[in-house]
């Protein structure tokens, strides 16, 4: 079982940055596929980025070049650096985990196959 706790969200002006954190009870990333998702009110949840069990990363097109996923195994923490934030980035951001590889998943998918979820951290850009 994996427990995930997100933090670092907030309200910022367009163009600003936030660093989101996800404390992970089970590490390293090699044993699990880790993903960030986001969901705005009234909209479907969408995938933002995958860091797979082999360390490879994939980003959805709308955040590519602006968002960066990273990890600190010593701190058992996954990060999402969000730069050049836009109003359309406003959403609840979740991290999620599953065993093995995510190679079969589309990065922008809803994440129905993920086993473990955090409760989310809110990002508001206005």
């Amino acid at each position: 079982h994996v427990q995930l706790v997100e933090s670092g969200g907030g309200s910022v002006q367009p163009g600003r940055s936030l660093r989101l954190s996800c404390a992970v009870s089970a590490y390293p990333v090699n044993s699990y596929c880790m993903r960030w998702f986001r969901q705005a009110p009234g909209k479907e949840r969408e995938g933002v980025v995958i860091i797979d069990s082999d360390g490879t990363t994939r980003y959805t097109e709308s955040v590519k070049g602006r968002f960066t996923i990273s990890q600190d195994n010593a701190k058992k923490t996954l990060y999402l650096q969000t730069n050049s934030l836009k109003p359309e980035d406003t959403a609840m951001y979740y991290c999620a985990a599953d065993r093995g590889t995510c190679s079969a998943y589309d990065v922008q998918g809803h994440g129905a196959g993920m086993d473990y979820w955090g409760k989310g951290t809110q990002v508001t850009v206005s």
Side-chain angles (χ1 to χ4, degrees):
H1 185 262
V2 177
Q3 292 180 288
L4 309 170
V5 180
E6 303 96 332
S7 62
S11 297
V12 298
Q13 298 178 15
R16 296 296 188 180
S17 301
L18 289 169
R19 189 180 72 165
L20 311 183
S21 299
C22 176
V24 184
S25 66
Y27 244 81
V29 70
N30 303 73
S31 298
Y32 297 92
C33 171
M34 306 297 300
R35 302 177 69 177
W36 284 97
F37 297 85
R38 64 187 182 185
Q39 187 170 25
K43 297 186 180 297
E44 290 184 291
R45 184 174 61 212
E46 63 176 348
V48 177
V49 60
I50 294 171
I51 183 165
D52 214 334
S53 54
D54 64 358
T56 59
T57 58
R58 288 181 285 145
Y59 297 83
T60 193
E61 185 177 356
S62 64
V63 309
K64 194 173 297 182
R66 299 189 298 120
F67 291 9
T68 304
I69 192 169
S70 62
Q71 63 190 64
D72 186 327
N73 288 331
K75 295 182 178 179
K76 300 175 65 175
T77 302
L78 190 74
Y79 301 100
L80 184 66
Q81 180 69 38
T82 66
N83 297 331
S84 301
L85 284 163
K86 305 174 181 179
E88 52 263 45
D89 295 318
T90 295
M92 185 73 74
Y93 283 71
Y94 303 90
C95 62
D98 208 345
R99 296 185 181 275
T101 181
C102 286
S103 62
Y105 297 157
D106 290 336
V107 66
Q108 71 274 24
H110 304 327
M114 304 300 290
D115 289 334
Y116 309 110
W117 292 84
K119 293 183 178 180
T121 185
Q122 178 68 40
V123 172
T124 301
V125 186
S126 63

mmCIF file of all heavy atoms in Angstrom, residues 77-118:
data_model
loop_
_atom_site.group_PDB
_atom_site.id
_atom_site.type_symbol
_atom_site.label_atom_id
_atom_site.label_comp_id
_atom_site.label_asym_id
_atom_site.label_seq_id
_atom_site.Cartn_x
_atom_site.Cartn_y
_atom_site.Cartn_z
ATOM 1 N N THR A 77 9.969 12.129 -1.767
ATOM 2 C CA THR A 77 9.077 13.176 -2.237
ATOM 3 C C THR A 77 9.176 13.329 -3.749
ATOM 4 O O THR A 77 10.274 13.319 -4.315
ATOM 5 C CB THR A 77 9.394 14.515 -1.562
ATOM 6 O OG1 THR A 77 9.283 14.367 -0.142
ATOM 7 C CG2 THR A 77 8.421 15.594 -2.022
ATOM 8 N N LEU A 78 8.041 13.466 -4.369
ATOM 9 C CA LEU A 78 7.911 13.773 -5.783
ATOM 10 C C LEU A 78 7.511 15.239 -5.914
ATOM 11 O O LEU A 78 6.711 15.738 -5.116
ATOM 12 C CB LEU A 78 6.846 12.870 -6.397
ATOM 13 C CG LEU A 78 6.689 12.836 -7.907
ATOM 14 C CD1 LEU A 78 7.831 12.052 -8.529
ATOM 15 C CD2 LEU A 78 5.352 12.188 -8.255
ATOM 16 N N TYR A 79 8.049 15.941 -6.924
ATOM 17 C CA TYR A 79 7.776 17.356 -7.114
ATOM 18 C C TYR A 79 7.209 17.615 -8.502
ATOM 19 O O TYR A 79 7.496 16.894 -9.459
ATOM 20 C CB TYR A 79 9.045 18.191 -6.952
ATOM 21 C CG TYR A 79 9.711 18.061 -5.614
ATOM 22 C CD1 TYR A 79 10.813 17.232 -5.446
ATOM 23 C CD2 TYR A 79 9.243 18.767 -4.513
ATOM 24 C CE1 TYR A 79 11.433 17.107 -4.220
ATOM 25 C CE2 TYR A 79 9.858 18.649 -3.283
ATOM 26 C CZ TYR A 79 10.950 17.824 -3.136
ATOM 27 O OH TYR A 79 11.556 17.710 -1.909
ATOM 28 N N LEU A 80 6.424 18.670 -8.587
ATOM 29 C CA LEU A 80 6.003 19.202 -9.868
ATOM 30 C C LEU A 80 6.239 20.705 -9.846
ATOM 31 O O LEU A 80 5.533 21.432 -9.143
ATOM 32 C CB LEU A 80 4.531 18.896 -10.171
ATOM 33 C CG LEU A 80 4.048 19.347 -11.546
ATOM 34 C CD1 LEU A 80 4.753 18.557 -12.649
ATOM 35 C CD2 LEU A 80 2.534 19.202 -11.669
ATOM 36 N N GLN A 81 7.260 21.156 -10.568
ATOM 37 C CA GLN A 81 7.538 22.571 -10.720
ATOM 38 C C GLN A 81 6.662 23.108 -11.836
ATOM 39 O O GLN A 81 6.751 22.640 -12.972
ATOM 40 C CB GLN A 81 9.013 22.801 -11.042
ATOM 41 C CG GLN A 81 9.397 24.261 -11.221
ATOM 42 C CD GLN A 81 9.339 25.044 -9.934
ATOM 43 O OE1 GLN A 81 9.702 24.537 -8.886
ATOM 44 N NE2 GLN A 81 8.868 26.285 -10.009
ATOM 45 N N THR A 82 5.819 24.072 -11.518
ATOM 46 C CA THR A 82 4.889 24.631 -12.491
ATOM 47 C C THR A 82 5.278 26.084 -12.725
ATOM 48 O O THR A 82 5.141 26.929 -11.842
ATOM 49 C CB THR A 82 3.431 24.522 -12.019
ATOM 50 O OG1 THR A 82 3.220 25.335 -10.867
ATOM 51 C CG2 THR A 82 3.098 23.076 -11.676
ATOM 52 N N ASN A 83 5.768 26.387 -13.936
ATOM 53 C CA ASN A 83 6.199 27.722 -14.310
ATOM 54 C C ASN A 83 5.246 28.327 -15.341
ATOM 55 O O ASN A 83 4.492 27.619 -15.991
ATOM 56 C CB ASN A 83 7.613 27.685 -14.893
ATOM 57 C CG ASN A 83 8.657 27.222 -13.911
ATOM 58 O OD1 ASN A 83 8.521 27.405 -12.705
ATOM 59 N ND2 ASN A 83 9.728 26.618 -14.432
ATOM 60 N N SER A 84 5.323 29.638 -15.484
ATOM 61 C CA SER A 84 4.525 30.359 -16.475
ATOM 62 C C SER A 84 3.056 29.964 -16.399
ATOM 63 O O SER A 84 2.410 29.680 -17.407
ATOM 64 C CB SER A 84 5.079 30.103 -17.882
ATOM 65 O OG SER A 84 6.434 30.511 -17.980
ATOM 66 N N LEU A 85 2.528 29.959 -15.200
ATOM 67 C CA LEU A 85 1.168 29.470 -14.983
ATOM 68 C C LEU A 85 0.141 30.334 -15.706
ATOM 69 O O LEU A 85 0.275 31.556 -15.773
ATOM 70 C CB LEU A 85 0.860 29.406 -13.494
ATOM 71 C CG LEU A 85 1.509 28.222 -12.768
ATOM 72 C CD1 LEU A 85 1.514 28.450 -11.268
ATOM 73 C CD2 LEU A 85 0.782 26.926 -13.117
ATOM 74 N N LYS A 86 -0.872 29.672 -16.225
ATOM 75 C CA LYS A 86 -1.961 30.294 -16.957
ATOM 76 C C LYS A 86 -3.275 30.045 -16.230
ATOM 77 O O LYS A 86 -3.393 29.080 -15.475
ATOM 78 C CB LYS A 86 -2.048 29.703 -18.366
ATOM 79 C CG LYS A 86 -0.761 29.772 -19.164
ATOM 80 C CD LYS A 86 -0.902 29.025 -20.486
ATOM 81 C CE LYS A 86 0.381 29.061 -21.282
ATOM 82 N NZ LYS A 86 0.257 28.308 -22.556
ATOM 83 N N PRO A 87 -4.281 30.885 -16.460
ATOM 84 C CA PRO A 87 -5.579 30.637 -15.825
ATOM 85 C C PRO A 87 -6.128 29.241 -16.096
ATOM 86 O O PRO A 87 -6.763 28.657 -15.211
ATOM 87 C CB PRO A 87 -6.474 31.721 -16.427
ATOM 88 C CG PRO A 87 -5.533 32.844 -16.708
ATOM 89 C CD PRO A 87 -4.263 32.182 -17.165
ATOM 90 N N GLU A 88 -5.875 28.703 -17.271
ATOM 91 C CA GLU A 88 -6.365 27.371 -17.594
ATOM 92 C C GLU A 88 -5.655 26.264 -16.834
ATOM 93 O O GLU A 88 -6.072 25.100 -16.904
ATOM 94 C CB GLU A 88 -6.283 27.105 -19.105
ATOM 95 C CG GLU A 88 -4.921 27.387 -19.702
ATOM 96 C CD GLU A 88 -4.830 28.756 -20.347
ATOM 97 O OE1 GLU A 88 -5.308 29.736 -19.727
ATOM 98 O OE2 GLU A 88 -4.290 28.851 -21.469
ATOM 99 N N ASP A 89 -4.593 26.587 -16.105
ATOM 100 C CA ASP A 89 -3.947 25.623 -15.223
ATOM 101 C C ASP A 89 -4.671 25.482 -13.888
ATOM 102 O O ASP A 89 -4.314 24.608 -13.093
ATOM 103 C CB ASP A 89 -2.495 26.011 -14.951
ATOM 104 C CG ASP A 89 -1.632 25.971 -16.201
ATOM 105 O OD1 ASP A 89 -1.778 25.024 -16.995
ATOM 106 O OD2 ASP A 89 -0.800 26.887 -16.367
ATOM 107 N N THR A 90 -5.645 26.322 -13.631
ATOM 108 C CA THR A 90 -6.386 26.269 -12.374
ATOM 109 C C THR A 90 -7.084 24.926 -12.229
ATOM 110 O O THR A 90 -7.856 24.521 -13.101
ATOM 111 C CB THR A 90 -7.410 27.400 -12.306
ATOM 112 O OG1 THR A 90 -6.730 28.660 -12.287
ATOM 113 C CG2 THR A 90 -8.271 27.280 -11.059
ATOM 114 N N ALA A 91 -6.800 24.226 -11.143
ATOM 115 C CA ALA A 91 -7.355 22.890 -10.928
ATOM 116 C C ALA A 91 -6.885 22.367 -9.585
ATOM 117 O O ALA A 91 -5.971 22.919 -8.960
ATOM 118 C CB ALA A 91 -6.905 21.925 -12.034
ATOM 119 N N MET A 92 -7.509 21.282 -9.147
ATOM 120 C CA MET A 92 -6.969 20.492 -8.061
ATOM 121 C C MET A 92 -5.942 19.541 -8.655
ATOM 122 O O MET A 92 -6.241 18.835 -9.629
ATOM 123 C CB MET A 92 -8.071 19.720 -7.356
ATOM 124 C CG MET A 92 -7.606 18.949 -6.133
ATOM 125 S SD MET A 92 -7.241 20.012 -4.713
ATOM 126 C CE MET A 92 -8.914 20.455 -4.206
ATOM 127 N N TYR A 93 -4.755 19.528 -8.094
ATOM 128 C CA TYR A 93 -3.672 18.690 -8.589
ATOM 129 C C TYR A 93 -3.469 17.503 -7.661
ATOM 130 O O TYR A 93 -3.352 17.657 -6.442
ATOM 131 C CB TYR A 93 -2.376 19.490 -8.702
ATOM 132 C CG TYR A 93 -2.348 20.386 -9.915
ATOM 133 C CD1 TYR A 93 -3.143 21.520 -9.982
ATOM 134 C CD2 TYR A 93 -1.537 20.085 -11.013
ATOM 135 C CE1 TYR A 93 -3.144 22.328 -11.102
ATOM 136 C CE2 TYR A 93 -1.523 20.893 -12.129
ATOM 137 C CZ TYR A 93 -2.326 22.013 -12.172
ATOM 138 O OH TYR A 93 -2.314 22.821 -13.285
ATOM 139 N N TYR A 94 -3.423 16.315 -8.250
ATOM 140 C CA TYR A 94 -3.290 15.068 -7.514
ATOM 141 C C TYR A 94 -2.052 14.308 -7.964
ATOM 142 O O TYR A 94 -1.721 14.300 -9.146
ATOM 143 C CB TYR A 94 -4.490 14.147 -7.764
ATOM 144 C CG TYR A 94 -5.840 14.720 -7.423
ATOM 145 C CD1 TYR A 94 -6.571 15.427 -8.367
ATOM 146 C CD2 TYR A 94 -6.385 14.530 -6.160
ATOM 147 C CE1 TYR A 94 -7.817 15.939 -8.058
ATOM 148 C CE2 TYR A 94 -7.629 15.039 -5.847
ATOM 149 C CZ TYR A 94 -8.338 15.739 -6.802
ATOM 150 O OH TYR A 94 -9.577 16.245 -6.487
ATOM 151 N N CYS A 95 -1.398 13.647 -7.031
ATOM 152 C CA CYS A 95 -0.418 12.653 -7.424
ATOM 153 C C CYS A 95 -1.012 11.271 -7.218
ATOM 154 O O CYS A 95 -1.907 11.076 -6.401
ATOM 155 C CB CYS A 95 0.916 12.810 -6.679
ATOM 156 S SG CYS A 95 0.859 12.615 -4.891
ATOM 157 N N ALA A 96 -0.519 10.324 -7.997
ATOM 158 C CA ALA A 96 -1.046 8.970 -7.971
ATOM 159 C C ALA A 96 0.081 7.992 -8.255
ATOM 160 O O ALA A 96 1.085 8.341 -8.865
ATOM 161 C CB ALA A 96 -2.171 8.800 -8.991
ATOM 162 N N ALA A 97 -0.107 6.748 -7.815
ATOM 163 C CA ALA A 97 0.921 5.725 -7.955
ATOM 164 C C ALA A 97 0.310 4.404 -8.359
ATOM 165 O O ALA A 97 -0.834 4.095 -8.027
ATOM 166 C CB ALA A 97 1.691 5.556 -6.642
ATOM 167 N N ASP A 98 1.091 3.627 -9.073
ATOM 168 C CA ASP A 98 0.723 2.262 -9.403
ATOM 169 C C ASP A 98 1.992 1.437 -9.513
ATOM 170 O O ASP A 98 3.083 1.974 -9.752
ATOM 171 C CB ASP A 98 -0.063 2.203 -10.709
ATOM 172 C CG ASP A 98 -1.018 1.016 -10.773
ATOM 173 O OD1 ASP A 98 -0.877 0.086 -9.962
ATOM 174 O OD2 ASP A 98 -1.909 1.025 -11.642
ATOM 175 N N ARG A 99 1.855 0.155 -9.349
ATOM 176 C CA ARG A 99 3.002 -0.733 -9.453
ATOM 177 C C ARG A 99 3.395 -0.953 -10.901
ATOM 178 O O ARG A 99 2.557 -0.953 -11.796
ATOM 179 C CB ARG A 99 2.694 -2.078 -8.805
ATOM 180 C CG ARG A 99 2.449 -1.998 -7.314
ATOM 181 C CD ARG A 99 2.259 -3.380 -6.722
ATOM 182 N NE ARG A 99 1.998 -3.299 -5.295
ATOM 183 C CZ ARG A 99 2.939 -3.223 -4.364
ATOM 184 N NH1 ARG A 99 4.215 -3.218 -4.720
ATOM 185 N NH2 ARG A 99 2.601 -3.155 -3.091
ATOM 186 N N GLY A 100 4.667 -1.122 -11.120
ATOM 187 C CA GLY A 100 5.155 -1.469 -12.437
ATOM 188 C C GLY A 100 5.206 -0.293 -13.383
ATOM 189 O O GLY A 100 5.372 0.859 -12.986
ATOM 190 N N THR A 101 5.038 -0.586 -14.670
ATOM 191 C CA THR A 101 5.222 0.409 -15.710
ATOM 192 C C THR A 101 3.910 1.081 -16.094
ATOM 193 O O THR A 101 2.837 0.484 -16.001
ATOM 194 C CB THR A 101 5.853 -0.233 -16.962
ATOM 195 O OG1 THR A 101 6.056 0.765 -17.958
ATOM 196 C CG2 THR A 101 4.951 -1.327 -17.529
ATOM 197 N N CYS A 102 4.011 2.334 -16.531
ATOM 198 C CA CYS A 102 2.899 3.079 -17.113
ATOM 199 C C CYS A 102 3.067 3.225 -18.619
ATOM 200 O O CYS A 102 2.442 4.092 -19.230
ATOM 201 C CB CYS A 102 2.781 4.463 -16.479
ATOM 202 S SG CYS A 102 2.123 4.481 -14.800
ATOM 203 N N SER A 103 3.888 2.396 -19.213
ATOM 204 C CA SER A 103 4.201 2.561 -20.626
ATOM 205 C C SER A 103 2.985 2.428 -21.528
ATOM 206 O O SER A 103 2.974 2.969 -22.632
ATOM 207 C CB SER A 103 5.277 1.563 -21.047
ATOM 208 O OG SER A 103 4.832 0.226 -20.878
ATOM 209 N N ALA A 104 1.961 1.716 -21.084
ATOM 210 C CA ALA A 104 0.754 1.535 -21.880
ATOM 211 C C ALA A 104 -0.242 2.674 -21.735
ATOM 212 O O ALA A 104 -1.243 2.693 -22.454
ATOM 213 C CB ALA A 104 0.079 0.218 -21.520
ATOM 214 N N TYR A 105 -0.002 3.612 -20.839
ATOM 215 C CA TYR A 105 -0.947 4.693 -20.578
ATOM 216 C C TYR A 105 -0.635 5.920 -21.422
ATOM 217 O O TYR A 105 0.531 6.293 -21.589
ATOM 218 C CB TYR A 105 -0.900 5.119 -19.119
ATOM 219 C CG TYR A 105 -1.298 4.069 -18.112
ATOM 220 C CD1 TYR A 105 -0.852 4.161 -16.798
ATOM 221 C CD2 TYR A 105 -2.109 3.002 -18.453
ATOM 222 C CE1 TYR A 105 -1.207 3.215 -15.855
ATOM 223 C CE2 TYR A 105 -2.464 2.047 -17.523
ATOM 224 C CZ TYR A 105 -2.010 2.160 -16.215
ATOM 225 O OH TYR A 105 -2.365 1.215 -15.283
ATOM 226 N N ASP A 106 -1.688 6.554 -21.928
ATOM 227 C CA ASP A 106 -1.535 7.890 -22.494
ATOM 228 C C ASP A 106 -1.323 8.874 -21.350
ATOM 229 O O ASP A 106 -2.022 8.836 -20.341
ATOM 230 C CB ASP A 106 -2.770 8.288 -23.287
ATOM 231 C CG ASP A 106 -2.931 7.507 -24.565
ATOM 232 O OD1 ASP A 106 -1.919 7.006 -25.086
ATOM 233 O OD2 ASP A 106 -4.078 7.398 -25.049
ATOM 234 N N VAL A 107 -0.375 9.781 -21.509
ATOM 235 C CA VAL A 107 -0.039 10.681 -20.413
ATOM 236 C C VAL A 107 -1.220 11.560 -20.020
ATOM 237 O O VAL A 107 -1.368 11.902 -18.845
ATOM 238 C CB VAL A 107 1.202 11.539 -20.760
ATOM 239 C CG1 VAL A 107 0.898 12.504 -21.905
ATOM 240 C CG2 VAL A 107 1.710 12.277 -19.541
ATOM 241 N N GLN A 108 -2.063 11.916 -20.970
ATOM 242 C CA GLN A 108 -3.198 12.798 -20.697
ATOM 243 C C GLN A 108 -4.448 12.048 -20.242
ATOM 244 O O GLN A 108 -5.490 12.669 -20.029
ATOM 245 C CB GLN A 108 -3.533 13.639 -21.938
ATOM 246 C CG GLN A 108 -4.158 12.873 -23.096
ATOM 247 C CD GLN A 108 -3.135 12.240 -24.020
ATOM 248 O OE1 GLN A 108 -1.998 11.974 -23.636
ATOM 249 N NE2 GLN A 108 -3.552 11.988 -25.260
ATOM 250 N N GLY A 109 -4.369 10.741 -20.068
ATOM 251 C CA GLY A 109 -5.518 9.946 -19.688
ATOM 252 C C GLY A 109 -6.033 10.252 -18.298
ATOM 253 O O GLY A 109 -5.384 10.920 -17.483
ATOM 254 N N HIS A 110 -7.206 9.727 -18.005
ATOM 255 C CA HIS A 110 -7.901 10.023 -16.754
ATOM 256 C C HIS A 110 -7.311 9.332 -15.534
ATOM 257 O O HIS A 110 -7.587 9.741 -14.408
ATOM 258 C CB HIS A 110 -9.377 9.639 -16.872
ATOM 259 C CG HIS A 110 -10.091 10.288 -18.013
ATOM 260 N ND1 HIS A 110 -9.792 11.543 -18.468
ATOM 261 C CD2 HIS A 110 -11.115 9.842 -18.781
ATOM 262 C CE1 HIS A 110 -10.579 11.846 -19.476
ATOM 263 N NE2 HIS A 110 -11.395 10.839 -19.679
ATOM 264 N N GLY A 111 -6.555 8.284 -15.738
ATOM 265 C CA GLY A 111 -5.901 7.612 -14.634
ATOM 266 C C GLY A 111 -6.755 6.599 -13.908
ATOM 267 O O GLY A 111 -6.504 6.321 -12.737
ATOM 268 N N ALA A 112 -7.734 6.017 -14.574
ATOM 269 C CA ALA A 112 -8.612 5.050 -13.926
ATOM 270 C C ALA A 112 -7.861 3.834 -13.410
ATOM 271 O O ALA A 112 -8.309 3.187 -12.473
ATOM 272 C CB ALA A 112 -9.722 4.627 -14.885
ATOM 273 N N GLY A 113 -6.738 3.515 -14.010
ATOM 274 C CA GLY A 113 -5.986 2.350 -13.608
ATOM 275 C C GLY A 113 -5.040 2.549 -12.437
ATOM 276 O O GLY A 113 -4.425 1.580 -11.981
ATOM 277 N N MET A 114 -4.912 3.762 -11.952
ATOM 278 C CA MET A 114 -4.000 4.037 -10.842
ATOM 279 C C MET A 114 -4.597 3.538 -9.529
ATOM 280 O O MET A 114 -5.777 3.749 -9.247
ATOM 281 C CB MET A 114 -3.693 5.520 -10.760
ATOM 282 C CG MET A 114 -3.124 6.110 -12.048
ATOM 283 S SD MET A 114 -1.569 5.339 -12.576
ATOM 284 C CE MET A 114 -0.449 5.936 -11.312
ATOM 285 N N ASP A 115 -3.776 2.899 -8.710
ATOM 286 C CA ASP A 115 -4.254 2.283 -7.477
ATOM 287 C C ASP A 115 -4.298 3.219 -6.285
ATOM 288 O O ASP A 115 -5.161 3.074 -5.415
ATOM 289 C CB ASP A 115 -3.381 1.085 -7.122
ATOM 290 C CG ASP A 115 -3.582 -0.088 -8.064
ATOM 291 O OD1 ASP A 115 -4.675 -0.202 -8.658
ATOM 292 O OD2 ASP A 115 -2.646 -0.898 -8.199
ATOM 293 N N TYR A 116 -3.367 4.172 -6.201
ATOM 294 C CA TYR A 116 -3.207 4.992 -5.004
ATOM 295 C C TYR A 116 -3.238 6.464 -5.368
ATOM 296 O O TYR A 116 -2.569 6.900 -6.309
ATOM 297 C CB TYR A 116 -1.889 4.655 -4.301
ATOM 298 C CG TYR A 116 -1.704 3.178 -4.070
ATOM 299 C CD1 TYR A 116 -0.755 2.463 -4.780
ATOM 300 C CD2 TYR A 116 -2.496 2.501 -3.154
ATOM 301 C CE1 TYR A 116 -0.590 1.101 -4.584
ATOM 302 C CE2 TYR A 116 -2.342 1.139 -2.959
ATOM 303 C CZ TYR A 116 -1.388 0.445 -3.669
ATOM 304 O OH TYR A 116 -1.225 -0.902 -3.479
ATOM 305 N N TRP A 117 -4.009 7.229 -4.591
ATOM 306 C CA TRP A 117 -4.224 8.646 -4.859
ATOM 307 C C TRP A 117 -4.042 9.476 -3.604
ATOM 308 O O TRP A 117 -4.440 9.064 -2.506
ATOM 309 C CB TRP A 117 -5.636 8.892 -5.381
ATOM 310 C CG TRP A 117 -5.893 8.332 -6.739
ATOM 311 C CD1 TRP A 117 -6.259 7.056 -7.048
ATOM 312 C CD2 TRP A 117 -5.810 9.037 -7.974
ATOM 313 N NE1 TRP A 117 -6.407 6.916 -8.409
ATOM 314 C CE2 TRP A 117 -6.140 8.120 -8.997
ATOM 315 C CE3 TRP A 117 -5.492 10.351 -8.319
ATOM 316 C CZ2 TRP A 117 -6.159 8.488 -10.344
ATOM 317 C CZ3 TRP A 117 -5.511 10.713 -9.650
ATOM 318 C CH2 TRP A 117 -5.846 9.789 -10.644
ATOM 319 N N GLY A 118 -3.471 10.671 -3.777
ATOM 320 C CA GLY A 118 -3.516 11.662 -2.729
ATOM 321 C C GLY A 118 -4.828 12.414 -2.747
ATOM 322 O O GLY A 118 -5.674 12.220 -3.626
#
